[in-house]
Amino acid sequence: MSKTSTDPERLALNGPAMGARWSAVLHVGAGVDPAPLHAALAAAVAEVEAQMTTRRADSDLMRLNRAGPDRWIDLPEHLVEVLAAGLAIGQASGGAFEIGMGDAVAAWGFSGAAADPGRIRAALKEPRRPACEVLELDCANRRARKHGPLALDLCGIAKGYGVDRLAETARAFGIGSALMSIDGELRALGPQPGGQPWAVAVERPDPGQRAAHAVLALEAGAVATSGDYRHWVDLGGRRLSHTMDPRRGAPLAASPASVTVLAARCMEADAWATALMVLGREEGAALARRLGLSVLFLERDGAGLAETAIGPGF
């Protein structure tokens, strides 16, 4: 059948975001000017980065990190939303997801600067109170205050939230069919024209190549994967994954190869993928079943992979 002037057109846009790239595949009305849409999508992720990165001293998150105890700090709405979600998932995961790990993340070399042995020793010895006990949020008035030392880091949730902001921006343009991503975190905004789902690959956890382990059919909602095979530092001849163990103030000593989570919003999928990496397959699977999460654990088993699939999404 020939294409008519009323058929939606496929548009692919992308740009830099949070040390990676954002991308959007959208189906738009014929003749739509892509320039305003591209500008709005780029602005949405730039706003998230400006508020939530630890790599810029002028970010709103770093302004909160520098604040003294018991002082209310006014914050932008989006940052308050992500902090609240981070604290909630931290409590629901029994502390496996912890946004108060900024000192350890920086010490081990995951914030842009090289690993620092002195700061590593300090992070390992630091007695830690969970962020939910130290950080007080006043969501109605968009402010927060700390009741003790706390270095916040949102690397386990901010990219997912950036994907959600891409989806919200596209929806504001009246777009009902799109697939958004930042660095492997994805969200579908409705199926493709004709009702076909989006084909989303679950990557094989192999640092030497990019290959699909499985393919998901995603019509709406989000998917995020946390793994030990893409982001790491080499320290003393050991490859250390970027996922932090809040109990030790150090990278995970052992973990699944990857954890993939399906959720309604990408920031939730992102944070839960991190939390379940920390918990590991046995404890994480039990929690996922109790909470009704859809999760795929991949573990190395000799030359192959062992799967543990939980929930209707898998």
Side-chain angles (χ1 to χ4, degrees):
M1 183 179 294
S2 62
K3 184 176 176 68
T4 71
S5 61
T6 58
D7 289 337
E9 295 183 350
R10 184 181 184 275
L11 186 63
L13 303 173
N14 66 84
M18 305 180 188
R21 293 192 71 80
W22 66 266
S23 68
V25 178
L26 315 102
H27 292 279
V28 302
V32 167
D33 182 0
L37 177 57
H38 186 281
L41 293 170
V45 292
E47 181 182 46
V48 173
E49 185 165 15
Q51 292 181 15
M52 304 181 199
T53 185
T54 58
R55 296 185 180 226
R56 287 173 44 178
D58 63 347
S59 74
D60 294 289
L61 182 67
M62 292 304 290
R63 182 165 53 85
L64 177 59
N65 276 341
R66 288 192 298 270
D70 301 315
R71 176 187 167 199
W72 284 111
I73 303 298
D74 293 327
L75 298 172
E77 179 182 5
H78 295 311
L79 178 53
V80 172
E81 182 181 2
V82 173
L83 289 171
L87 294 179
I89 293 172
Q91 290 181 289
S93 66
F97 184 75
E98 174 55 62
I99 62 174
M101 296 293 294
D103 61 319
V105 171
W108 288 91
F110 294 108
S111 287
D116 183 320
R119 295 176 71 184
I120 287 172
R121 288 191 291 271
L124 290 170
K125 295 177 181 178
E126 182 71 23
R128 295 186 181 277
R129 294 172 59 196
C132 61
E133 294 182 2
V134 182
L135 183 65
E136 180 181 357
L137 291 181
D138 179 356
C139 295
N141 293 300
R142 300 177 187 173
R143 60 181 188 166
R145 63 179 173 180
K146 301 180 295 184
H147 297 293
L150 183 65
L152 295 159
D153 184 280
L154 299 175
C155 62
I157 193 171
K159 283 181 181 175
Y161 186 73
V163 175
D164 290 330
R165 291 289 297 124
L166 287 170
E168 291 161 8
T169 301
R171 186 182 286 120
F173 274 76
I175 295 169
S177 176
L179 183 67
M180 314 295 194
S181 70
I182 299 177
D183 199 23
E185 326 292 7
L186 300 102
R187 180 169 170 180
L189 192 63
Q192 300 185 68
Q196 291 295 317
W198 300 91
V200 174
V202 175
E203 194 172 28
R204 183 176 179 82
D206 185 343
Q209 63 176 329
R210 289 190 178 272
H213 171 78
V215 178
L216 302 176
L218 193 64
E219 294 187 6
V223 59
T225 297
S226 185
D228 66 358
Y229 57 97
R230 281 286 171 255
H231 303 295
W232 69 82
V233 294
D234 192 328
L235 195 62
R238 295 179 59 203
R239 193 183 75 185
L240 302 173
S241 169
H242 71 293
T243 303
M244 286 287 153
D245 184 346
R247 296 160 293 196
R248 298 173 54 241
L252 288 174
S255 71
S258 71
V259 179
T260 300
V261 177
L262 290 165
R265 300 186 66 187
C266 201
M267 75 167 173
E268 295 161 356
D270 193 7
W272 276 112
T274 299
L276 297 174
M277 277 285 289
V278 171
L279 289 173
R281 194 263 310 164
E282 184 173 347
E283 189 177 354
L287 179 61
R289 291 187 181 98
R290 288 200 302 273
L291 297 179
L293 301 175
S294 289
V295 183
L296 177 66
F297 292 86
L298 295 181
E299 296 179 290
R300 294 183 180 87
D301 184 11
L305 292 169
E307 289 190 0
T308 301
I310 297 158
F314 294 103

